[in-house]
Amino acid sequence: MDGYFVTFFTQQNRTYRDMPIAKWIIEEATQLGVRGATLMSGREGFGHDGRFHSENYFDQEDPPLQVSMALTCDECDRLMDRLKENQLRVFYTKPKIEFGFTSEG
């Protein structure tokens, strides 16, 4: 299949409707029928605002997070529309990919 490898970048303390944004994205993707997503916590990083984020002892509430998923073009459009409908501003990358399974089963 052809599609996109979409990765959303956020932080643990960013919320939408009393839920971490990363979890909200995963729940919305699930409702849209996306077959899988991966949530990864980063050790440290900085955002567009120049603020440093890390999982160290003094900054535990704000580690960087990534939500990644392989999506068909239609799935990607529907998920991006859902984010726009809810007026969520989240940085993402969206390179084109080919994906599938190596064998039946």
Side-chain angles (χ1 to χ4, degrees), residues 2-97:
D2 291 324
Y4 299 100
F5 187 71
V6 179
T7 302
F8 296 96
F9 297 85
T10 187
Q11 294 85 37
Q12 180 66 40
N13 71 344
R14 288 194 61 207
T15 61
Y16 179 71
R17 297 186 176 172
D18 298 322
M19 180 184 303
I21 287 178
K23 183 176 180 179
W24 186 89
I25 291 170
I26 289 172
E27 288 191 7
E28 292 299 311
T30 301
Q31 288 178 10
L32 292 171
V34 171
R35 293 168 295 270
T38 301
L39 173 62
M40 294 173 277
S41 178
R43 293 188 49 93
E44 58 188 35
F46 67 93
H48 68 279
D49 59 1
R51 285 191 52 227
F52 185 74
H53 306 279
S54 74
E55 65 175 10
N56 72 38
Y57 179 75
F58 298 105
D59 196 22
Q60 289 180 348
E61 79 283 351
D62 197 25
L65 299 176
Q66 294 180 19
V67 178
S68 298
M69 55 192 89
L71 302 171
T72 64
C73 295
D74 181 57
E75 290 168 339
C76 184
D77 289 345
R78 289 185 288 133
L79 182 57
M80 292 300 188
D81 287 347
R82 188 71 57 96
L83 288 156
K84 288 177 188 172
E85 289 167 12
N86 286 275
Q87 299 179 349
L88 271 173
R89 186 172 189 262
V90 182
F91 181 79
Y92 68 92
T93 58
K94 186 176 108 172
K96 289 184 178 185
I97 61 167

Side-chain angles (χ1 to χ4, degrees), residues 101-105:
F101 294 97
T102 56
S103 64
E104 298 292 322

